[in-house]
Each structure stands twice: as C-alpha cells, then as structure tokens.
Amino acid sequence: MTKEELLKIYLSDDIVENKNYLINVPVEKIKWTDNDNSDLISVIKLAIEGDISRESTNVTARKINQLLNREK
Amino acid sequence: MILKSIELENFMCYYGYNKFDFKEGINVIIGDNGYGKSKLYDAFYWVMYDECFDTNKKEFVKTSILKNSIVSDKALFEVDDDRVKTSVTLTFDDVEKGSEYSIQRRYFVNKLEDTITPDYVSEEIISWKELSYLNSKIINDPLKIENLKNRILPDNIKPYMWFQGEQIESIIDFNKSQTLTQAINILSDISRFDNISSLADSLQESSAKEYNKKIRSLSKDTSRSEQLEIERKKLIITLKNLEKDELSQQDQQSTAEQKAEALLNKISDAQKIKDVDYRRKSIENDLINIQQEFNKEQIDLHKKLFTNRWVLKGTENIFEEYGKKYNSYEKVKLNKMAEVKAQLEAENAMIKELQTRLPIDVPEPIHVERMLDEEHCLVCDREAPKGSEPWLKMKELIDRSKLRIKNIEDEEITIHDFSNDLKKLYQNGLGLSHNIKRIDDDISKTFTNIQKLSTKRKTLSQDLEKLEKEVESMISESAIDVSEAQNLLSSYQSQNDYAKRFQKELTLTEVSKERTKKQIEIINKELGDLVTGEIPAFLQEKVEILEDFKAIAHSTRERIFKQLVNMLEEEANKHYKEMIQGNLSARGIIKLKELSNKNYMPELVDENGNVLLQLNTGNIILIKLATIMAIISARKGSRDTDLYTLITDAPMSAFGDDYTIGFCKTVSKVYKQSIIMSKEFYKNIELRNELLNNKDIKLGKVYMITPNIPEEERTNRNSLATNIKPLN
C-alpha cells in the first residue's frame, strides 16, 4: 500500500468531512504532493511517512509537535 | 519459487535413495495409513527447520532429541561397523531469476558392532545454481540462508501453508478468540494502522497535558487549580483502570459467549445423547431386575419340586392304592382284634368263675404252700399226696392268685405294630393328595411367569441393543461420547452463567466510567473558569487537531479491519462453496462474527442469517480449511499463494469422499503449487481416476507409495523400505 493510498484511507473518515478539513477537494483526487489544506492532513502525512520509513515514534511525534507548536 | 523435488536417503521408512519430482498444480502422494505419508511431510519439515512433528507429544521435536529415530531401520540394520547417512534434499526453482536452490539436511549415525552412536546435530548444506551458466555455489552466510528460507516460506505464513491434518484444529481454533484477529494482523497491513493509532494516542495525551499545564499557569487561584489537578489525575487513573476492567470483562464475556456458542453446536446432540443414554440406563436397570427375577424363577423351579410338592405329580394312583392297602390292613387288624378279644373274654370268664368259688388268697398262700409241701390238707385234715386230686386242687389255689383279668391292650395283635405309622402315612398322604390337584395349576402359573419374564427380557434386550446402536451412531456423528455429553451440558450452562455475570459487571463498569467522566468534566470546567489570561490559539488548535487525529486513527483502523474481515469472509465463502460443490446436502455461508471484545470467529449461517448448529467434524474442518485458504489468498497483490507451496498431510481425513474432489479443485485453483498427502485415493479407485482425469483440477505429479513388505511383517522394521510409483 502506497503512502498516498494510506492518506486517502485516513482522509475518508467521517470526522474529516464533518469538520471540513478538506475544503472542496474530493478524497479521490487528493495527491500526496498537494499542498495541505490543514494541519490535520500534515499530521497524518507525517505519521504515515514516519511509519513507512520506520522512524522511531519519538522522532515522528517531535516533528508533529514542531508543526503544531508554530505560532500563527 | 516452485518446489522441483524432494530426495530422501535412509530417512525413516524411506530406505536407500528415493525421489519425488513435483510440478505446478496439485501434487498428490497417495498411500494408506502407515505407508509413509506423514514421514514424507516430516522430511519436508526436517530439511527446513531441523525438527519433526511428534504426533504423541503434539509438538515439533529437534533432531538432537529425535536422534536415530529419523534413520531408516533397514539401513541401520544392514550396515556393519560403519556410518549411516540420512539426508533429505529439497530443490527449488526460482523461475524469475533463472536459478535453482537446493537445501540439504544430513545426519549421521555410527554403528560399531551393536553399539549405535548418533551425531548430536544435523548438517545443513544450501547451494545455489545459476541455470544459464550451470555454475553452482554453496551459501554459507547465515543471513542469506535466513533470507532464502524466508523467501521459501516466511515464518508468519508457515502455519497456514505447511500443516498436518490434525493441526487444522489448532490453526483456526474456535476456542481461541484471538486466532482470526492474529491471522488478519499477520497477513495484512493492519499493524501499520495500529502503529499510527498508538502514535496518535501518545500525541493526544501529551498535548492534553500541555494544555492543562497552561490552564493551571493562567489560574487566578493556583492552589485550587493544583488541588483540582491532583483530583483530575486520580480520576484519570480511575478511568484508565475502569477501561482496563472493561476490556478484561469484555474479553471474559466474549470468551464465555463464544465457548457457549461453540458448545451450542454440540448441545443439541449432547442433549439427545444424554436422553437416549438415560433411557438406555433405565432399560439396562429394568433388564437387570428382570434377569434377577428370571434367575430366581429358574432356581425356584427346582426348589418348587419339593416346596410346592411338584414331585408328587403323577402319584395319585399310589395314594389310592395305599389307601386300599391300608384299609385292608385295618380290616385284618380289626378282625384279629375281635378274635383276640373273644378269646380273652372266655379266659377272663373262667378266671372270674374260679374266683367266685373261693376268694383269692384264702387260705393265705403261705398256708397253702405249707400244705403242698407237707402233702396234707390242714383245712380238712386229710392226706393229700403230691399229684393227687386234693394236692392238685391246693396247687390250683396258688396258681389262681397269679391269674388276672386281661385287657385287649395287653394282647399282641401282630408281631410288629406299624398301625400308627401306617395311619400317619395314610393321613399325610390324604393331605398331600389334595395338593396334587393344585400342582398342575402351580406349574402352569410358574412356567407362564418364566415365559413372561423371558419375553420381557428379550424385548428389553432388543430395546437396549437398539438404544446402544442409537447412542453409538449419535456418538460417531457428533464426535461426542456420553461423558462428554454430560460435561457439555453442564459446561454450556456454566458458560451462559459466566456470560450473564460478566454482562452485569460490564454494565456496572460502564456506569462507573460515565460517573468518573462527568467528574472530570466538572473539574475541567472549574479549571477553565479559574483561567484569567488567554490560552494561546495554537495550543487550543493543537489539542483539537490531535484529538481529531486520535479519533480518525482509531476509526480508520476499525474500518480497515472490518474491510479485511469482510474480504476474508468473502474469500472463505468462495473456497467453501467450491469445496462443497460435490455434496448436495452441504449448505451454509461462512460468517465471521464480531464478538463483544472485537475479536472475530467463523460460524456457518443459512441464507437468512440463522446460525446453523449441529455441524459435524467434517463441516468444521471445511470451514477452517476455507478460512486458512482465505487468509492466504485474500491478501490482494501479495501473491502468497503463487509464491509459496502448500504442503499438507491428510487434510481431507476429517471429511467424507464427497468433498475430496472439491477440495482438490479448490486447492489447485488457489495455490500455484501444492503437495497433498492423502489416503482417500488409495482405496477408492473411482475417486483416484477422477483425480487423474478431472479437467478442472490442475494436476501436478501423482505418486502411490506402498511398503515393500506385507502389513503383518511390518513390525519388523529392519527390512522396511518404501516403494514409490508415479501414476502420471
């Protein structure tokens, strides 16, 4: 299973749709290389990438925290 | 990779050099029980893993323990002061890479005179050959060897690809709730989703901690906030413990439900067996009682000759004759008595007459004696010489005193008087003769009773035999014996009781969980109310995103798992349908049922979704085989069934001949290559011909194996070898 397929699986979840994490983009058309519409998508991507590249969960968690700790 | 061949040298019953070539499709080794099928399976396993399956211990045993038991007895017997080599070689064809791998395992045993010294370990030789160049080289690198073996058969797939018939039960064990879940975990990407879920859990937990810390730092009443935080932490620990309890209770409830359900399949049979056995026991008791009564009657029959005076039967004439004789005896006796009486009366009359002349003892006897002695009568004073008339008269006076009146009782009528005895005999006979009239009735009544008992005994014996046959047939159909049936019924009851108890506990846990959650919410609200400053927006957003990430990660995992289960179910049904095609009575659809602890178990349902109970062993094995095949074949894109060879010993032994061809067709469709050891085709020649000629079966090589010596001589294994005959 490719990382794009995995991403699509996660983004097919009802919560993504109910909370409008994907704005006007159908899940089927999502590409891994697309710009992320939301931090949630970025978080999911980091988690998938971390698992595929078999990096330690601490490293992945740190990357996700760095992403979300940015003051906007 | 395709398994090209197996070569066996002095391995168990395979004496000398033996070789089986294999092709793609289903390869079948046919042989009766004890002909060497399992030994062949052992050979495959031994080469790869240096161990064989011990059917007694139900576990795999290493060469270091098996020792010379893996060596041909004939080879060992024939050699003198030498070394016996046992070896098995597997040759694999790597079609994609145009190369060939060979794995050989060999083992040596030394024999000096009668002393046998086996080596402690076996040797493994792995070689690789490039077919286009025909150059061969030995692989020594342990990592490469491991990789090669993993290419031949990965460890996680091994239980589903190489197994013996008797292992099927444990591969998919209905009593172990984790079985199917584990299979799905091993054979799918689900572990990836699990990893991401656990990452999401830890991120959400740390962000929540961070958020709470910030809230406390912005509190207008720090000490209150700290106090609330302590309470919150306690409640969180309580909640976690309750969640753990809930999981354990769900697990226990599922286990109990599942055990009860597994028993439910057999419960109806068990109840029937119990009922029939109860009837059987009751009839058995009746039969024992009747038999005792019958025996008593038989013994009494002899006693009754005397107790009921049957011995008198036919003696009526004797009594009559005796009566007559007794009567005449009595008559004679009476006559004689009359005669004697008359004589006595005459004698007594004379005595009386004498006594009337002169009273007795007058003169007194001493004077009379003196007169007789002196021969002189003193009364009349005259001479009375001895012998003279007066002397004789005086003598008469003396004698007269000795005479007395006689009674009839004083007289002997007969020499021996049996009168009383004969009378008693007559009287007894009279009483007995009355009984004789009743003897016929008594005998007839007794024999009627014996006949009645005998008929009853016969009927009960027939009933008992019928019930015993019924129990036997029920036992063989359901594979439950009488004691098991009793246990099953009580186990079923206890499992249902457990399930109810855990359900109650779960409800209580749920209530406690809700209460704890509410308490945490109240604390959170109070903590929020104490905040004076502003919580950074990024932190609020982070918490929200990570909570959503956690929820998405978990629900996605559940969704994917359910999809896998559905896929597995669909695939299992495809295989199941194909396998049962040959049997019109077979029915049902495999349903993977979700248990309350989220595990899945297979069950058979009808077209309306009703669970089919009373499955026999054959049905259960077929469901399990279909599920095993599905686990391997459902993994889309993995080509596990193309990559690895299915090797199984006697998988069909549990189900009837009707399913055998269906099974072979399915296996040849599902697996690129398979090697099946079977006895089903040995005796059933029609079935064997169908295997060899059925166009729906993609057939590889078929061999017949037979021992070289007759069955009765097989106990002497010193001459045992195995004949291998290719059938196609």
Side-chain angles (χ1 to χ4, degrees), chain B residues 192-205:
Chain B
R192 172 158 293 155
F193 293 90
D194 286 332
N195 295 340
I196 293 174
S197 296
S198 94
L199 173 71
D201 288 349
S202 77
L203 280 165
Q204 186 275 330
E205 200 178 332

Side-chain angles (χ1 to χ4, degrees), chain B residues 13 110 161 176 236 344 396 451 522 554 721:
Chain B
C13 60
N110 293 304
M161 293 298 280
K176 287 184 188 164
I236 285 171
L344 274 178
E396 196 179 79
Q451 186 60 37
I522 292 166
H554 281 278

Side-chain angles (χ1 to χ4, degrees), chain B residues 238-250 509:
Chain B
T238 310
L239 190 62
K240 280 188 178 170
N241 287 336
L242 284 169
E243 280 166 353
K244 271 187 201 166
D245 288 349
E246 191 180 33
L247 277 177
S248 142
Q249 285 156 356
Q250 278 174 344
T509 310

